[in-house]
Amino acid sequence: MDLKWNEFIITGDPLILGAQISILLGSIAVVAALTYFKKWTWLWKEWLTSVDHKKLGIMYILSALLMLFRGGIDGLMIRTQLAKPGMEFLDPQHYNEVFSTHGVIMILFMAMPFLIGLINYIVPLQIGARDVAFPYLNNLSFWTFFVGMALFNISFIIGGSPDAGWTAYTPLATNEFSPGPGQNYYLLAIQIAGIGTLMTGINFFVTILKMRTKGMTLMKMSMFTWTTLITMLIIIFAFPVLTVALALQTFDRLFGSVIFTLQGDGNPMLWVNLFWVWGHPEVYIVILPAFGIFSEIISTFARKQLFAYKAMVVSIVTISVLSFLVWVHHFFTMGNSAEANSFFSITTMAISIPTGVKIFNWLFTMYRGRISFTTPMLWALAFIPNFVIGGVTGVMLAMAAADYQYHNTYFLVSHFHYVLISGTVFACFAGLIYWYPKMFGHKLNEKIGKWAFWIFIIGFNVCFFPQYFLGLDGMPRRISTYTEADGWTGLNFISTIGAFMMGLAFLIFVVNIVYSWRFSPREKTGDAWGLGRNLEWATSSSIPPHYNFAVLPEVTGLDPYWDMKEKGLDQQKNVDYKPIHMPNNAATPIIMSVIMGAAAFGLVFHWYWIGIVGGIGIFITMIARSFDYNDGYYVSVEEIKETEAKANK
Amino acid sequence: MAHDHNVNPNAPLEYQSETGRLNITGFWTFLGAEIALFSTLFASYFALQARVGDGPTSNEMFEAGLVMIMTMLLLTSSFTCGIAIHEMRANNKKGVIIWMIITLILGAGFIGYELYEFVHYVHEGVTLSTSAHWSMFFILLGTHGLHVSIGIGWIILLLIQLARRGLTPKTASKVFISSLYWHFLDVVWIFIFTCVYLMGMVN
């Protein structure tokens, strides 16, 4: 690729210049602070090379919050541009880049890592395990995700962002119509992060199947663990499809194959199919753990066991199967036969049945419960009606004939924001607030949290509800501007106000984190809400020690910790401790991932030699890992006694 | 790992430690993902099979003799790999190493022929850019060939470890896992042989 240096670094746009300067200053500030406080060794040993699932979980969540900020800024830029007709805030090219990165970042670098972070922290605790099945792999998963995320994010300051939409449909995304490095960033960054997700899938699948504590049969697992198990299964079968699809498009763009191109008898529709064969299960990958989180929160704060546990499990499994059978509904209008459209229309509508079962089960869980209206519970309560609106409009979209009307309009945009925000984002907030004391030893301030909640859900509805009507009025998605004569001005302006309310709520949420870190009372017990039902609340201290449980708990039924409290048992006390075997830190994953990122960066600009050198580097780190026979270490009984004595309980 | 003390001396060597058992389960799960990966490649190949553009069709290019030799090499290597694991169960380190080396030689022979085939096609003017059909042909077979090549490199590393450390639960589980991988690649080849070569020559 012939790039001049002045094209390499993006120049000439005040917004991007501002971002470049703030990134530079931010990086200098972080490096300076770490050096001044002599924290480099601490950072390296305690965090970056840690294989502790809890620390990895926190790093995932921090990255996700950062990406929520980045993707949120993208969203606000979109809404600002659309606030009035004929705005000149973003030029059309820049607008294309912003909505493309908004989609990719929110789905792949915000929703997924946020949920995977919560899963990392909570699931091993809920199954009464001391770590995951493959702690080393867990660290590698995080770093491949992180490097993929970093690579994707530098695109907007170096070389230019992808601009073919988050779906990157061919032939638009081929070299012919999307020259330049942006689309290469998309392909390689998601590829690297996707490998990490696949490894997470395998890791947690095996962890949940093989490492549950004594007595915890599959049907005694918490609902969050169940949804995680099924999510991981979907990841295992869906992500390889993405891997192949991305690899094929990469070959088209970098090595001259003609698979999705208009030359050489290629077939652009193959990309669309492959993308959604992964893409639709992906939707369920980000919604099933959210269902799990709501199940936990609703049953906890309604002080009742989850209603119809078995029906919940069956409906999750049904959803996971159906999720692989609906992908064509994303392109009903793109020339399928009526038979094909009918089939996929029916399978799509069928998904609403198990989902409806779940909605009713949550309602019945609350029925006659003594409900505490805490912040996480408010998020869970808000989820139900908002998600139903998203779901019902989804059934409208599922009718293939009607979809010819809705396709590619703001009706669709509103639909998927309703399901993804009120499903996944609400769950991320709810889960983070609910488990926050388990992670940091203190709660988030409830009062500020409620302010953030109310501003967010009102803003959310103000932003997206008008978009249904804009869509029915015929406003297409992905247009950078419109005219006064279109008649969309009023609703667009209202929608923009809502978007900024959500931005404000996010700021309040961040302020709450800082405020609570300074002023919230520290938790004295492991059961911060006093209502905990599952084993994550059964640890001896508010933040679990690195080995989680001094003695592995035993389980006899559902809601094991509730059971222990009722029987007055404390399994963590007055027992003979035995030495605990724990894994060592690992430095190769971060090194390997950084090399991967460097190699991919070279390939983005067609500098093949960097790719080759990087490939060799990756193999060298893999060989080093193969010859590494480090078996971990034992935590001595004295150390366990000391740690447990210090525990607050 | 947090579970190494859980040892079962009655199981075969590779299943004795908890780490070994977890790694084997994890690898089976990984093979599930590999099945999804190759299924996608096959599906894409089928979708583009008739799209030859101005280029030649499969039966203008394929040679039955060459493919038969490649198939026999790989199938035999799967058999010798099985014998290596049999020797491992008999706790015969030398046997494992010898049979694994034979496996690797057969695998290298397979890769040699595959490279020869690719180079031959390129000389005939059929490349990655000829048509959608040939793009998918090279990528599908290339992915399989890359897997075999990585397998060869990986097993060489394991044999060095085996020679140095002898048969322990840890080395045994590693060798066992590499054998699962090798058999899996054989299964994939059977599909390539049937669906790409045989069906390509019939059409």
Side-chain angles (χ1 to χ4, degrees):
Chain A
M1 189 177 287
D2 287 326
L3 265 183
K4 297 187 189 74
W5 277 102
N6 61 352
E7 289 171 0
F8 183 65
I9 306 279
I10 301 288
T11 53
D13 186 308
L15 288 171
I16 293 179
L17 185 68
Q20 284 164 335
I21 292 170
S22 54
I23 288 172
L24 190 68
L25 292 179
S27 312
I28 292 172
V30 169
V31 171
L34 284 169
T35 313
Y36 181 78
F37 293 107
K38 297 196 174 63
K39 288 289 188 188
W40 281 106
T41 329
W42 166 81
L43 184 70
W44 179 258
K45 283 193 172 163
E46 293 292 316
W47 291 94
L48 305 188
T49 60
S50 173
V51 294
D52 183 341
H53 68 95
K54 299 183 289 297
K55 288 182 173 168
L56 287 165
I58 289 173
M59 287 197 283
Y60 265 115
I61 292 170
L62 284 176
S63 313
L65 283 171
L66 191 67
M67 285 300 103
L68 183 56
F69 177 73
R70 156 83 213 263
I73 294 285
D74 282 346
L76 290 181
M77 283 162 73
I78 294 172
R79 282 316 319 165
T80 307
Q81 169 64 22
L82 293 178
K84 287 195 308 180
M87 283 282 276
E88 285 174 8
F89 176 64
L90 299 173
D91 60 65
Q93 171 61 24
H94 197 174
Y95 185 84
N96 289 350
E97 293 177 11
V98 168
F99 74 67
S100 303
T101 53
H102 172 76
V104 172
I105 284 177
M106 284 304 200
I107 297 281
L108 287 156
F109 300 123
M110 190 285 287
M112 301 259 319
F114 212 132
L115 293 168
I116 288 176
L118 291 170
I119 287 169
N120 248 291
Y121 202 99
I122 297 301
V123 166
L125 291 168
Q126 284 196 333
I127 62 172
R130 287 186 172 128
D131 209 325
V132 294
F134 312 113
Y136 176 93
L137 203 61
N138 206 8
N139 183 294
L140 183 59
S141 290
F142 172 75
W143 283 112
T144 48
F145 146 73
F146 189 87
V147 166
M149 174 192 92
L151 188 67
F152 191 83
N153 274 280
I154 57 168
S155 69
F156 85 107
I157 48 171
I158 301 177
S161 288
D163 55 2
W166 91 280
T167 52
Y169 278 179
T170 50
L172 177 61
T174 58
N175 278 334
E176 195 179 343
F177 301 106
S178 294
Q183 187 56 24
N184 297 343
Y185 270 118
Y186 171 99
L187 294 167
L188 293 159
I190 299 178
Q191 187 70 282
I192 293 174
I195 293 167
T197 309
L198 178 61
M199 290 187 289
T200 300
I202 294 170
N203 203 344
F204 277 85
F205 185 73
V206 176
T207 303
I208 296 173
L209 281 188
K210 290 282 177 184
M211 294 182 66
R212 297 188 310 277
T213 193
K214 203 173 167 189
M216 186 178 281
T217 57
L218 282 175
M219 292 308 275
K220 286 176 187 144
M221 299 194 308
S222 73
M223 194 46 62
F224 184 48
T225 305
W226 253 114
T227 54
T228 302
L229 178 69
I230 299 301
T231 304
M232 297 305 152
L233 197 62
I234 302 179
I235 287 178
I236 291 163
F237 287 109
F239 265 76
V241 182
L242 178 70
T243 304
V244 169
L246 293 171
L248 295 182
Q249 201 183 108
T250 309
F251 264 77
D252 271 8
R253 290 185 60 89
L254 295 180
F255 307 115
S257 63
V258 287
I259 295 161
F260 305 128
T261 56
L262 299 176
Q263 302 85 34
D265 224 354
N267 185 356
M269 275 306 289
L270 181 62
W271 165 267
V272 180
N273 275 281
L274 291 179
F275 183 86
W276 287 115
V277 169
W278 161 77
H280 202 87
E282 165 68 15
V283 172
Y284 289 90
I285 292 168
V286 295
I287 201 67
L288 286 182
F291 286 171
I293 292 168
F294 290 129
S295 302
E296 300 285 314
I297 290 173
I298 288 173
S299 119
T300 300
F301 293 110
R303 294 178 170 80
K304 276 180 66 190
Q305 199 170 72
L306 192 66
F307 184 85
Y309 174 90
K310 281 180 188 163
M312 284 298 221
V313 173
V314 172
S315 55
I316 300 165
V317 176
T318 314
I319 289 173
S320 75
V321 174
L322 286 173
S323 75
F324 282 93
L325 298 173
V326 298
W327 78 90
V328 171
H329 73 212
H330 293 273
F331 46 94
F332 278 144
T333 58
M334 288 158 96
N336 315 304
S337 67
E339 290 84 353
N341 274 359
S342 309
F343 174 82
F344 285 97
S345 192
I346 291 165
T347 51
T348 305
M349 287 185 227
I351 288 199
S352 63
I353 299 168
T355 316
V357 168
K358 297 181 77 69
I359 298 273
F360 281 110
N361 286 346
W362 287 314
L363 293 177
F364 283 124
T365 305
M366 287 185 278
Y367 179 66
R368 292 199 164 172
R370 277 195 296 129
I371 298 177
S372 308
F373 291 95
T374 56
T375 333
M377 186 62 171
L378 287 180
W379 285 104
L381 290 173
F383 149 74
I384 293 176
N386 286 302
F387 190 80
V388 168
I389 296 173
V392 169
T393 50
V395 178
M396 290 167 74
L397 284 158
M399 294 181 276
D403 184 63
Y404 275 75
Q405 199 62 38
Y406 309 130
H407 186 81
N408 245 5
T409 68
Y410 263 80
F411 190 85
L412 170 78
V413 173
S414 188
H415 155 71
F416 68 69
H417 281 95
Y418 257 88
V419 280
L420 283 169
I421 294 183
S422 74
T424 308
V425 177
F426 284 17
C428 289
F429 282 136
L432 182 58
I433 300 165
Y434 177 57
W435 284 309
Y436 203 84
K438 188 75 353 198
M439 296 175 190
F440 300 101
H442 61 84
K443 280 187 205 166
L444 288 171
N445 184 289
E446 285 280 292
K447 200 169 174 185
I448 306 177
K450 281 174 186 169
W451 271 101
F453 164 77
W454 283 111
I455 295 175
F456 194 95
I457 62 148
I458 293 170
F460 163 69
N461 278 288
V462 170
C463 179
F464 291 106
F465 205 74
Q467 292 184 8
Y468 282 124
F469 298 97
L470 282 171
L472 294 176
D473 256 359
M475 180 170 168
R477 70 194 288 206
R478 291 172 174 162
I479 49 162
S480 66
T481 192
Y482 52 95
T483 65
E484 187 73 57
D486 289 319
W488 303 325
T489 313
L491 289 174
N492 266 308
F493 191 76
I494 294 171
S495 179
T496 302
I497 293 173
F500 278 90
M501 286 175 73
M502 284 190 280
L504 176 67
F506 177 74
L507 286 183
I508 296 174
F509 190 86
V510 174
V511 166
N512 196 6
I513 289 177
V514 180
Y515 178 90
S516 307
W517 171 62
R518 294 267 290 133
F519 300 112
S520 266
R522 305 295 117 159
E523 289 303 326
K524 298 280 182 249
T525 74
D527 185 16
W529 301 96
L531 299 168
R533 307 186 77 86
N534 282 307
L535 289 179
E536 77 266 30
W537 305 109
T539 57
S540 54
S541 52
S542 55
I543 304 174
H546 64 108
Y547 48 76
N548 291 354
F549 300 98
V551 180
L552 291 179
E554 283 187 30
V555 173
T556 52
L558 277 175
D559 295 343
Y561 184 56
W562 189 261
D563 207 38
M564 284 175 208
K565 283 192 285 189
E566 285 202 323
K567 291 179 185 153
L569 293 173
D570 188 346
Q571 296 191 343
Q572 298 298 309
K573 260 186 185 167
N574 307 325
V575 273
D576 287 333
Y577 298 126
K578 294 196 184 78
I580 295 171
H581 190 266
M582 293 301 287
N584 283 109
N585 281 7
T588 38
I590 180 168
I591 297 170
M592 194 190 295
S593 308
V594 168
I595 296 173
M596 250 185 236
F601 183 76
L603 287 179
V604 164
F605 294 97
H606 296 218
W607 298 330
Y608 296 103
W609 63 272
I610 296 185
I612 293 166
V613 172
I616 294 167
I618 294 166
F619 277 117
I620 291 172
T621 49
M622 285 165 86
I623 291 167
R625 166 63 181 165
S626 180
F627 280 89
D628 177 11
Y629 273 69
N630 194 330
D631 274 337
Y633 66 98
Y634 278 93
V635 185
S636 67
V637 173
E638 289 72 40
E639 196 188 328
I640 300 169
K641 276 185 182 158
E642 206 177 309
T643 316
E644 294 299 308
K646 265 194 267 170
N648 305 323
K649 212 170 180 180
Chain B
M1 254 157 254
H3 26 69
D4 242 348
H5 48 276
N6 195 346
V7 172
N8 174 7
N10 298 321
L13 207 50
E14 67 271 19
Y15 284 102
Q16 281 186 7
S17 75
E18 176 128 29
T19 312
R21 290 196 292 274
L22 283 172
N23 286 352
I24 291 168
T25 314
F27 199 79
W28 275 109
T29 317
F30 170 72
L31 288 183
E34 285 273 70
I35 289 172
L37 183 118
F38 276 102
S39 305
T40 314
L41 285 170
F42 274 108
S44 305
Y45 179 79
F46 289 137
L48 300 178
Q49 198 171 21
R51 291 178 168 263
V52 290
D54 303 328
T57 58
S58 297
N59 57 2
E60 289 169 40
M61 299 302 296
F62 290 161
E63 282 173 43
L66 185 77
V67 182
M68 278 311 293
I69 296 172
M70 287 166 72
T71 306
M72 289 322 292
L73 283 173
L74 206 61
L75 291 188
T76 315
S77 82
S78 212
F79 180 68
T80 55
C81 182
I83 297 177
I85 298 304
H86 181 73
E87 292 290 339
M88 194 171 83
R89 293 273 166 86
N91 212 10
N92 179 3
K93 179 177 119 179
K94 210 174 151 193
V96 180
I97 293 178
I98 289 171
W99 283 107
M100 271 300 188
I101 288 174
I102 295 171
T103 306
L104 293 185
I105 292 170
L106 292 167
F110 168 85
I111 290 295
Y113 274 106
E114 184 155 68
L115 284 175
Y116 165 78
E117 188 192 6
F118 282 11
V119 171
H120 172 70
Y121 287 163
V122 172
H123 274 291
E124 300 275 315
V126 175
T127 66
L128 201 60
S129 313
T130 301
S131 66
H133 168 94
W134 288 106
S135 293
M136 270 319 298
F137 171 85
F138 282 112
I139 292 173
L140 171 58
L141 269 78
T143 308
H144 177 263
L146 181 69
H147 273 77
V148 176
S149 308
I150 289 174
I152 292 171
W154 178 22
I155 292 174
I156 290 172
L157 298 179
L158 295 188
L159 291 183
I160 296 170
Q161 292 167 27
L162 195 59
R164 279 194 196 161
R165 293 166 184 272
L167 280 167
T168 66
K170 190 147 187 179
T171 53
S173 73
K174 285 186 172 199
V175 172
F176 182 74
I177 286 171
S178 72
S179 81
L180 292 179
Y181 180 77
W182 197 263
H183 292 310
F184 169 75
L185 295 179
D186 212 32
V187 173
V188 173
W189 179 258
I190 289 169
F191 280 95
I192 292 180
F193 176 70
T194 314
C195 302
V196 176
Y197 284 104
L198 291 188
M199 285 166 67
M201 281 185 271
V202 172
N203 286 342

